[in-house]
Amino acid sequence: MAANLSWSALGRATELRQRIFFTIMLLIVYRLGTYIPVPGIDDLALQNFMEGAAAGIGGMLSMFTGGALARMGIFALGIMPYISASIIVQLLASLWEPLKQLKKEGEQGRRKINQYTRYGTLALALVQGFGIAASLEAGNMVSDPGLAFRFNAIVTLVGGTMFLMWLGEQITARGIGNGISLIIFIGIIAEIPAAMAQFLLQGRTGAISTGAILLIILVVLATLTFVVFMERSLRKIHIQYPRRQVGMKIYDGGSSHLPIKVNPAGVIPAIFASTLLLLPTTLATFSTSAATGPVMSWILAYFGQGQPLYLLLSVLLIVFFTYFYTKEVAFKTEDVAENLKNQNGFIPGIRPGKRTVDYLDYVVNRVLVLGAGYLALVVLLPDLLRFELGINAYIGGTSILIIVSVGMDTIQQVQSHLLAHQYEGLIQKSQLRGRKSATTKSKAKGPSRR
């Protein structure tokens, strides 16, 4: 995809350059914010704590927040509350009738749904901000604990999340790419050098053999290639359109295809499954009292990262969320069949209506077997290698999925802008040629006689 970009066309596309520059400036603002600390934090105690948790939940959360959590910056909550709220609202919009009606109201309904998403983001950020503030106090990582610290920490963390949400919306509206996805993308990319340095340091000290290092590098490269291939894989369904008569003319029927991605749900199932499975570990990591309880100790013993029950439950949750999110949000077969019927399109050999819905369900169910298996393999394989080889740096398959999907989507949007710019140039040239030819003809005719 990137090889198809024309740099000469990019130099002539003024609006696209402005959008790219605007996006880069806002992403720089985000990166600077990750280094602004929350007031009242004991830096030394926090650093010692995060070094011990770097291989588990601490490393994963720090990766998704661009290192803001490890430094306890004002963006320590990241954009995850907004993502969680948007996913919940999307699922409710597919299941709850009042939100279903809002989706049918067009632009006005979309604005109301976005407003509900913002309210949900605020509520989730408040809960998570309070949890982090209380956990910091319980872990003796605060220089002056008390009600004043909790209030300042909650206001700072919630304000940081709401500001990130605004940044993402501005990038989407006035920049290039999806703003929320780019914020996560940049956060992951920024943490890769530190993770690689820690990984190579283990090899230098002899904790990991040279063969293991080469194996990990080959697995990461193979995973990147495999993800790119699977994300671009499609199952095409042939669509036929009948002949139609417009006035006295009869136009032959056309044909097209309906693309069904192998992974229509994207990275959403992996994020959902990881969030649910890491919740007990998160509570135990940030709260010493919870970790010492008998129930939490049993959960950590049998459902910790790398344990067989953890792996089994991960696969089940990824498969469940892949099917559920695809059927209810990403690719609703009833809506697709209705749109085909309204456009007078049909699948050869399949009657419109209920038969088309059943056929699409048949195809989607079988395609998702491959998609869900692909997601489970990509998410779990790096974790298995990391725990088997004893690597203390976080290397996650979910991060690879996000990097590939966001990168492909951004490049595709750049190509779309370049294509639109080329079309505009062709239209302007044709209009100028038309004006010149009309002027030449009028001059050739000379003045009209009365």
Side-chain angles (χ1 to χ4, degrees):
M1 294 176 67
N4 296 328
L5 291 177
S6 174
W7 294 107
S8 60
L10 181 62
R12 294 190 299 269
T14 306
E15 182 185 356
L16 179 58
R17 291 203 314 270
Q18 292 175 352
R19 284 179 171 270
I20 293 176
F21 180 76
F22 180 80
T23 302
I24 293 174
M25 289 298 102
L26 291 193
L27 292 177
I28 290 175
V29 171
Y30 158 64
R31 289 302 303 160
L32 292 176
T34 59
Y35 290 91
I36 302 175
V38 174
I41 301 295
D42 188 345
D43 294 336
L44 183 59
L46 177 66
Q47 183 179 359
N48 294 333
F49 169 76
M50 292 305 298
E51 286 178 356
I57 181 64
M60 179 178 180
L61 293 179
S62 182
M63 179 75 75
F64 282 125
T65 58
L69 181 65
R71 296 181 289 269
M72 201 49 65
I74 60 175
F75 295 150
L77 289 181
I79 202 65
M80 298 307 291
Y82 177 81
I83 294 177
S84 301
S86 62
I87 292 174
I88 292 172
V89 171
Q90 287 180 11
L91 294 177
L92 288 177
S94 302
L95 302 175
W96 195 31
E97 193 60 33
L99 288 180
K100 283 185 179 181
Q101 297 301 322
L102 278 180
K103 289 180 65 176
K104 298 178 181 179
E105 293 181 4
E107 183 65 22
Q108 184 178 1
R110 187 180 65 84
R111 289 179 180 177
K112 290 184 179 179
I113 292 177
N114 289 340
Q115 195 66 24
Y116 294 152
T117 304
R118 296 187 185 99
Y119 293 149
T121 303
L122 179 61
L124 290 176
L126 284 171
V127 174
Q128 294 182 15
F130 175 79
I132 287 183
S135 301
L136 289 172
E137 285 189 342
N140 297 322
M141 289 176 279
V142 180
S143 58
D144 188 16
L147 184 61
F149 166 76
R150 290 193 181 187
F151 177 78
N152 290 333
I154 292 172
V155 170
T156 303
L157 293 174
V158 173
T161 295
M162 302 307 291
F163 180 72
L164 278 185
M165 181 184 69
W166 179 82
L167 278 185
E169 292 177 350
Q170 293 301 310
I171 292 175
T172 303
R174 301 171 58 187
I176 193 74
N178 184 284
I180 303 299
S181 301
L182 279 175
I183 287 175
I184 302 177
F185 174 82
I186 292 299
I188 294 174
I189 291 295
E191 289 300 300
I192 287 179
M196 288 297 298
Q198 186 178 2
F199 171 60
L200 295 177
L201 181 62
Q202 288 183 279
R204 184 180 302 175
T205 58
I208 304 177
S209 63
T210 306
I213 293 177
L214 294 177
L215 176 63
I216 289 293
I217 294 175
L218 289 176
V219 168
V220 170
L221 293 177
T223 303
L224 282 171
T225 306
F226 180 60
V227 170
V228 171
F229 174 78
M230 294 300 293
E231 289 296 323
R232 301 190 66 179
S233 300
L234 299 172
R235 166 68 161 90
K236 297 181 179 180
I237 298 178
H238 184 70
I239 304 296
Q240 188 71 35
Y241 295 94
R243 292 184 177 182
R244 68 186 190 278
Q245 182 174 358
V246 180
M248 299 298 295
K249 295 183 179 180
I250 297 178
Y251 296 90
D252 291 334
S255 62
S256 180
H257 67 270
L258 176 66
I260 300 177
K261 294 184 65 176
V262 173
N263 178 30
V267 75
I268 298 300
I271 293 177
F272 257 46
S274 300
T275 303
L276 291 178
L277 287 172
L278 291 176
L279 183 60
T281 313
T282 308
L283 294 176
T285 302
F286 286 98
S287 178
T288 55
S289 60
T292 56
V295 177
M296 188 61 65
S297 300
W298 181 84
I299 292 176
L300 292 177
Y302 291 96
F303 288 92
Q305 285 183 296
Q307 300 298 324
L309 289 179
Y310 174 87
L311 301 176
L312 177 62
L313 198 56
S314 296
V315 173
L316 294 178
L317 286 176
I318 288 174
V319 171
F320 170 75
F321 282 122
T322 300
Y323 275 85
F324 182 79
Y325 191 83
T326 300
K327 293 295 188 67
E328 296 298 334
V329 178
F331 192 90
K332 300 187 69 172
T333 54
E334 295 85 357
D335 295 344
V336 174
E338 185 65 24
N339 292 334
L340 286 176
K341 186 177 180 180
N342 294 336
Q343 297 171 5
N344 293 326
F346 63 93
I347 302 173
I350 307 296
R351 291 182 179 181
K354 183 67 169 55
R355 293 289 182 87
T356 300
V357 175
D358 294 339
Y359 178 76
L360 291 176
D361 284 333
Y362 172 84
V363 174
V364 170
N365 287 335
R366 279 150 183 79
V367 169
L368 289 183
V369 172
L370 182 60
Y374 141 71
L375 279 180
L377 178 64
V378 171
V379 170
L380 296 181
L381 182 60
D383 287 340
L384 285 174
L385 289 176
R386 182 162 56 90
F387 279 97
E388 289 295 330
L389 299 176
I391 301 174
N392 291 328
Y394 177 75
I395 304 173
T398 307
S399 302
I400 298 176
L401 285 171
I402 293 174
I403 290 173
V404 172
S405 58
V406 175
M408 291 175 61
D409 179 66
T410 304
I411 293 175
Q412 188 174 2
Q413 289 199 27
V414 172
Q415 289 178 336
S416 300
H417 279 279
L418 287 177
L419 188 61
H421 176 74
Q422 292 174 0
Y423 280 140
E424 289 177 359
L426 291 175
I427 293 172
Q428 290 175 359
K429 288 180 181 180
S430 63
Q431 290 176 349
L432 289 174
R433 288 174 182 174
R435 291 176 183 176
K436 287 181 180 180
S437 61
T439 305
T440 305
K441 288 181 180 180
S442 63
K443 289 182 179 180
K445 288 181 180 179
S448 60
R449 296 182 179 179
R450 295 184 178 177

